[in-house]
Amino acid sequence: MCSQPGGGVIPVTASARLQSYIPGMATPDKRSRSLWLQGPAVPCETVPPGAHLPWRIVLLGAPGVGKGTQADLLNQRLNACHLSTGDVFRAAGGRSDSEQSPAMKEALGYMRRGELVPDSIVWDLVRERSQCLHCVGGFILDGFPRTVAQAVSLKQLMDKDGLGLTAVVNYELPLEEIVARLGGRRTCEICKTVYHVTERPPRVADQCDRCEGKLFQREDDRPESIKVRLETYERNTAPLIDFYAKLGLLVRVPATGTPDEICERSLPELEYRRSKQFAHLMWAAEENRRDT
Ligand code: AP5
């Protein structure tokens, strides 16, 4: 079972999951951001183990390249939960002062300036939600990891628990298009759906198509923060491209064209990676069976 925007749950059967791998076939509209945003106290019921091989995907790319938009589309196509560390920080920013821990207040200061939140704070946040990484429904990580130290911590955690990543997608786009995307972005304050004033406008101005929530412009989308974010990305996050290429997990996807075109471009490679991962697991299980 997986959560919906309002906090409810929908059943996800093995057959529903298999449907999601067939191109063009309709899939249940599943978004599990609410559980991830609220943190570890919120239980998530999961599909039965063994029903399928979960998609475990990391999205990389500069701020504004379209990771959140693609995560949303991949969530609809693959049914894996969209987990964004930036969303967790923004959700915390919307709470009252007394509800924010000192670490979260510190994190929000970094975020407003466009700087990275220190690894220790980010890792605490991810670790306390690590159940989401174990979910047999899979996950799409958006905005994490963002430094080599974070990637190493994630790898150690996943290796320890025998979890493998399916793929790491790196979206690539010229700088001027990135800046234009950031400048026109609007986000729904309730369900976090992302729009763009000219490229992906809502049907009614300033109102979310999905939940009628009000749209807002992110604080860190001001020009001075954008500059800092792009410099920070080059310095701290771009090295992850090499890190994951060396692990044989990197999928490079040009992020030009419409969101749907980009998503369609990425799917065949993701399917290929997943079938390779599946074949490897079958082989390892067979070896194991022979040895015992
Ligand atoms: P985070 O929320 O992760 O932001 P980000 O990585 O900077 O990425 P964005 O959300 O800005 O962009 P996106 O690539 O998702 O693009 P989107 O789909 O919205 O992080 C924010 C902050 O939190 C960080 O700066 C940091 O302080 C902190 N933080 C978070 N995680 C951290 C971590 N792990 N470690 C340390 N600090 C952390 O698209 C952008 C716009 O373009 C939208 O308007 C969209 O509609 C439009 N668009 C998308 N696709 C297309 C298209 N194909 N054509 C035209 N327009 C498009």
Side-chain angles (χ1 to χ4, degrees):
M1 307 258 278
C2 292
S3 74
Q4 290 179 297
V9 289
I10 53 168
V12 179
T13 62
S15 64
R17 292 213 165 268
L18 286 173
Q19 280 180 11
S20 69
Y21 306 134
I22 302 170
M25 200 136 180
T27 58
D29 187 14
K30 177 177 93 60
R31 263 165 284 284
S32 289
R33 282 173 144 186
S34 54
L35 296 177
W36 167 259
L37 296 183
Q38 288 168 64
V42 184
C44 175
E45 290 182 58
T46 54
V47 291
H52 69 299
L53 179 61
W55 294 96
R56 297 196 184 106
I57 299 172
V58 167
L59 304 186
L60 289 183
V65 76
K67 300 180 295 297
T69 304
Q70 290 305 312
D72 193 32
L73 292 173
L74 289 172
N75 163 259
Q76 291 171 42
R77 296 297 297 267
L78 309 178
N79 260 345
C81 304
H82 172 190
L83 310 178
S84 152
T85 39
D87 276 352
V88 176
F89 292 130
R90 277 184 289 280
R95 296 196 194 114
S96 68
D97 200 54
S98 60
E99 286 175 316
Q100 289 173 13
S101 66
M104 195 49 86
K105 282 183 190 156
E106 192 190 337
L108 293 172
Y110 283 101
M111 191 173 163
R112 281 186 201 108
R113 293 190 294 274
E115 295 165 16
L116 287 188
V117 175
D119 286 339
S120 58
I121 299 179
V122 176
W123 184 241
D124 282 349
L125 177 151
V126 172
R127 208 179 34 193
E128 67 180 13
R129 290 165 173 75
S130 63
Q131 202 46 43
C132 289
L133 304 180
H134 289 80
C135 180
V136 291
F139 59 77
I140 301 162
L141 277 176
D142 162 16
F144 178 86
R146 230 181 175 99
T147 63
V148 171
Q150 291 178 16
V152 169
S153 298
L154 177 67
K155 185 171 181 322
Q156 284 170 350
L157 179 85
M158 292 185 66
D159 285 352
K160 179 170 79 61
D161 295 341
L163 305 171
L165 281 176
T166 314
V168 175
V169 183
N170 185 47
Y171 296 105
E172 299 171 339
L173 194 68
L175 185 64
E176 59 276 14
E177 284 195 52
I178 289 177
V179 173
R181 285 185 186 181
L182 285 171
R185 171 166 51 194
R186 300 292 181 272
T187 308
C188 172
E189 63 180 9
I190 298 173
C191 72
K192 314 300 173 203
T193 299
V194 173
Y195 297 86
H196 190 277
V197 285
T198 54
E199 301 296 330
R200 220 184 174 205
R203 283 193 292 271
V204 176
D206 298 327
Q207 180 179 297
C208 179
D209 294 348
R210 283 184 178 153
C211 71
E212 299 189 0
K214 200 166 169 303
L215 305 189
F216 70 98
Q217 182 166 29
R218 277 171 42 174
E219 263 184 286
D220 59 352
D221 279 348
R222 287 167 303 158
E224 61 275 24
S225 300
I226 290 178
K227 185 170 177 291
V228 176
R229 286 164 66 201
L230 290 170
E231 286 166 0
T232 306
Y233 165 79
E234 281 303 329
R235 196 170 48 245
N236 297 293
T237 310
L240 290 184
I241 297 170
D242 256 10
F243 178 90
Y244 284 117
K246 284 187 184 134
L247 292 175
L249 287 166
L250 195 74
V251 174
R252 294 174 188 272
V253 175
T256 45
T258 67
D260 284 329
E261 283 167 356
I262 299 162
C263 183
E264 290 301 325
R265 202 174 284 151
S266 66
L267 283 173
E269 186 67 26
L270 290 175
E271 301 276 356
Y272 170 69
R273 297 285 167 147
R274 188 171 171 281
S275 62
K276 251 176 72 173
Q277 195 185 18
F278 186 71
H280 179 75
L281 284 175
M282 290 293 103
W283 173 82
E286 181 58 23
E287 289 287 294
N288 202 23
R289 194 187 59 77
R290 276 204 202 119
D291 289 350
T292 50

